[in-house]
């Protein structure tokens, strides 16, 4: 990319899925918070892996296995650089954010959290950062406490301060809300948790694809994200923690690759990260993640963040021009997500009619039912942007929403 910044039209042209017509209309893809589209280079990297380098990793002495291992471990280094991790071994490959959080619950949680302990979550959490902790709490007799939010969707830091106590063993909070787009004050959340002696997990599923992230700078102990929301394939993600923390934890899943030696009497474990990567991993997913990181890095995460801020403003303005529209989630610091309602119209109807116009938005509780409950809504419609969206798509969303209102108010 030149110093003048990317040519966004050319960037968009990298995404074959965006060239298609849907229901006879040009596709306007605004479901990026659910999953991103994939650029040609990622698709090519996966195809090339199968055409040239497909083999199982770590175990083979033959050339192909060596090539696959080099590719796989090379991506670990890329991931580390991308998120500011001091050592690539700190980056454990998992299936996605959900599996990463479950990994932490089943290792850190099961060994460090006990009866009477407390886990602090926030009102903004995705179900993936609630349910693993509920399962753990049921087993251990621990309790979940929740940082409340205000009507704008911002966390109440004064209330958070009151929740912290010597009983707090873990604070697990999202970096960016998938339902409302709120960017949480994650550094401050982590700092306060550490001062209280708690361990910090950050769910970065909606942050890493949209802004520069430096895990050391944030001050988290665990930082988790998914590849498929950042132009990589599905089925791959990363769980980061400092090496010493990973080393202090027991393995989770048992099987091939995570052992040092096995006998029927006793087995011993491989070094981190292999200790947490049992079985044949998603090698193609890792290769695709590497290509996605190269692609995003070439554009620049700071440029992506700035572009998406402008796009979000354009899409929110377009939504608000529609009679009866209200944006849900009006935090001062927001990223990429415009949740909204149209007065008197169920969000599912909005989504269905918008789809007829070629506009793909998401409707429902967005796997964040407590957010909806707090706001007194059964569901919202959600337009979520990525850098490859265009300002010209904002009026197309507006036109689709106007069609919705015409159908319902005729
Ligand atoms: N956390 C947040 C904030 C999310 O938005 C999502 C997915 O939408 C997840 C966790 C779960 O990610 P995955 O389904 O990739 O495991």
């Amino acid at each position: 990319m030149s110093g003048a910044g990317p040519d966004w039209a050319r960037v968009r042209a990298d995404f074959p899925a965006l060239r298609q017509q849907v229901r006879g209309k040009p596709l306007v893809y605004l479901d990026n918070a659910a999953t991103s589209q994939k650029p040609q280079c990622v698709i090519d990297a996966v195809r090339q892996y199968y055409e040239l380098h497909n083999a199982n990793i770590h175990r083979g002495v033959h050339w192909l296995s060596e090539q696959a291992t080099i590719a796989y471990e090379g991506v670990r280094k890329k991931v580390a650089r991308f998120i500011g991790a001091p050592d690539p071994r700190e980056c454990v490959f998992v299936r996605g954010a959900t599996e990463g959080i479950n990994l932490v619950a089943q290792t850190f949680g099961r060994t460090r959290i006990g009866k009477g302990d407390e886990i602090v979550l926030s009102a903004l959490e995705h179900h993936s950062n609630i349910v693993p902790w509920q399962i753990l709490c049921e087993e251990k007799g621990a309790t979940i406490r929740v940082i409340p939010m205000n009507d704008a969707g911002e966390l109440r830091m004064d209330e958070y301060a009151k929740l912290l106590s010597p009983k707090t063993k873990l604070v697990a909070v999202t970096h960016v809300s998938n339902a409302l787009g709120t960017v949480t004050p994650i550094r401050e959340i982590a700092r306060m948790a550490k001062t209280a002696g708690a361990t910090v997990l950050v769910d970065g599923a909606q942050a890493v694809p949209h802004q520069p992230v430096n895990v050391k700078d944030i001050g988290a102990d665990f930082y988790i994200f998914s590849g498929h929301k950042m132009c990589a394939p599905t089925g791959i993600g990363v769980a980061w923690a400092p090496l010493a923390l990973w080393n202090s934890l027991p393995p989770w899943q048992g099987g091939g690759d995570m052992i040092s030696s096995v006998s029927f009497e006793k087995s011993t474990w491989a070094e981190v990260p292999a200790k947490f990567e049992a079985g044949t991993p998603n090698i193609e997913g890792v290769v695709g993640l590497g290509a996605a990181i190269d692609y995003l890095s070439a554009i620049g995460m700071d440029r992506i963040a700035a572009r998406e801020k402008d796009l979000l403003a354009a899409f929110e303005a377009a939504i608000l021009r529609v009679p009866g529209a209200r944006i849900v989630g009006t935090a001062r610091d927001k990223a990429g997500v415009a949740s909204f309602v149209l007065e008197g119209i169920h969000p599912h109807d909005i989504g269905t009619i918008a789809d007829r116009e070629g506009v793909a938005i998401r409707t429902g509780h967005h796997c964040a039912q407590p957010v909806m409950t707090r706001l007194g809504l059964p569901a919202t419609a959600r337009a979520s942007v990525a850098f490859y969206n265009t300002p010209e798509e904002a009026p197309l969303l507006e036109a689709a929403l106007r069609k919705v209102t015409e159908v319902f108010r005729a």
Side-chain angles (χ1 to χ4, degrees):
M1 295 299 153
S2 77
D7 174 346
W8 293 111
R10 277 181 58 188
V11 168
R12 184 177 172 89
D14 292 334
F15 292 79
L18 298 175
R19 286 178 219 143
Q20 50 190 318
Q21 300 238 323
V22 167
R23 308 197 192 284
K25 308 269 169 60
L27 170 64
V28 177
Y29 184 75
L30 294 171
D31 197 15
N32 295 288
T35 200
S36 67
Q37 296 302 338
K38 318 303 172 199
Q40 192 63 52
C41 60
V42 168
I43 299 166
D44 288 346
V46 172
R47 203 194 56 231
Q48 204 178 54
Y49 164 70
Y50 280 120
E51 284 175 356
L52 297 176
H53 301 133
N54 174 51
N56 212 330
I57 56 164
H58 295 150
R59 308 161 200 183
V61 291
H62 59 80
W63 187 84
L64 267 190
S65 177
E66 264 175 31
Q67 296 307 304
T69 305
I70 289 168
Y72 184 87
E73 292 303 331
V75 174
R76 208 187 296 280
K77 290 185 192 141
K78 275 184 195 170
V79 170
R81 270 198 303 276
F82 193 62
I83 60 169
D87 188 323
R89 292 173 296 173
E90 298 174 344
C91 300
V92 172
F93 288 124
V94 288
R95 204 155 49 82
T98 303
E99 188 174 77
I101 295 167
N102 277 279
L103 161 65
V104 177
Q106 295 301 317
T107 54
F108 174 86
R110 292 187 91 176
T111 51
R112 307 280 174 85
I113 294 173
K115 196 169 167 51
D117 288 340
E118 292 182 353
I119 297 173
V120 172
L121 308 178
S122 92
L124 288 168
E125 298 314 310
H126 187 281
H127 297 166
S128 292
N129 198 27
I130 300 174
V131 182
W133 307 118
Q134 282 173 328
I135 293 170
L136 182 79
C137 285
E138 249 173 53
E139 186 185 317
K140 295 286 180 180
T143 308
I144 288 173
R145 311 288 304 273
V146 181
I147 311 170
M149 68 180 193
N150 63 19
D151 292 341
E154 293 163 328
L155 295 182
R156 293 278 310 273
M157 296 297 279
D158 51 339
E159 295 295 332
Y160 171 46
K162 291 182 209 158
L163 291 178
L164 293 168
S165 80
K167 287 193 225 161
T168 314
K169 290 293 174 296
L170 179 74
V171 173
V173 172
T174 194
H175 193 164
V176 176
S177 155
N178 69 308
L180 304 182
T182 309
V183 180
T184 60
I186 202 66
R187 277 182 203 78
E188 182 61 2
I189 289 170
R191 191 194 62 74
M192 288 165 68
K194 304 294 276 186
T195 305
T199 296
V200 179
L201 177 143
V202 178
D203 174 355
Q206 296 292 346
V208 177
H210 303 293
Q211 62 182 68
V213 166
N214 182 303
V215 290
K216 292 304 284 180
D217 181 42
I218 289 166
D221 296 296
F222 295 101
Y223 195 98
I224 319 279
F225 59 99
S226 297
H228 70 93
K229 295 180 195 288
M230 51 181 286
C231 299
T234 46
I236 190 66
V238 176
W240 171 86
L243 211 51
L245 179 52
W246 280 136
N247 278 331
S248 72
L249 298 175
W252 173 31
Q253 296 173 329
D257 246 25
M258 53 74 70
I259 52 88
S260 168
S261 70
V262 175
S263 73
F264 282 112
E265 289 71 39
K266 181 166 174 58
S267 298
T268 56
W269 315 134
E271 297 293 322
V272 173
K275 181 172 151 189
F276 298 109
E277 292 180 2
T280 301
N282 181 358
I283 308 168
E284 67 164 270
V286 169
V287 167
L289 178 63
I293 288 175
D294 287 344
Y295 181 78
L296 295 174
S297 303
I299 298 173
M301 291 311 297
D302 42 1
R303 285 174 174 154
I304 285 175
R307 162 89 171 167
E308 290 179 357
K309 215 176 183 49
D310 291 346
L311 286 169
L312 181 65
F315 280 95
E316 287 199 336
I319 292 165
L320 287 171
R321 283 194 293 271
V322 179
R326 177 167 69 85
I327 299 287
V328 179
T330 51
R332 268 156 298 176
D333 198 3
K334 270 185 72 166
V337 172
S339 250
F340 63 97
V341 288
L342 294 180
E343 202 187 338
I345 305 175
H346 194 281
H348 288 303
D349 295 326
I350 302 174
T352 306
I353 297 169
D355 177 58
R356 284 193 221 145
E357 302 301 311
V359 177
I361 57 173
R362 179 142 299 234
T363 61
H365 52 59
H366 316 296
C367 293
Q369 272 183 334
V371 173
M372 299 295 132
T373 306
R374 161 65 180 79
L375 296 172
L377 295 166
T380 67
R382 181 186 73 182
S384 53
V385 302
F387 55 92
Y388 46 68
N389 286 118
T390 67
E392 292 73 31
E393 289 175 311
L396 298 179
L397 172 65
E398 179 185 343
L401 298 181
R402 284 187 185 277
K403 278 253 164 65
V404 175
T405 60
E406 281 159 23
V407 170
F408 277 85
R409 300 203 176 116

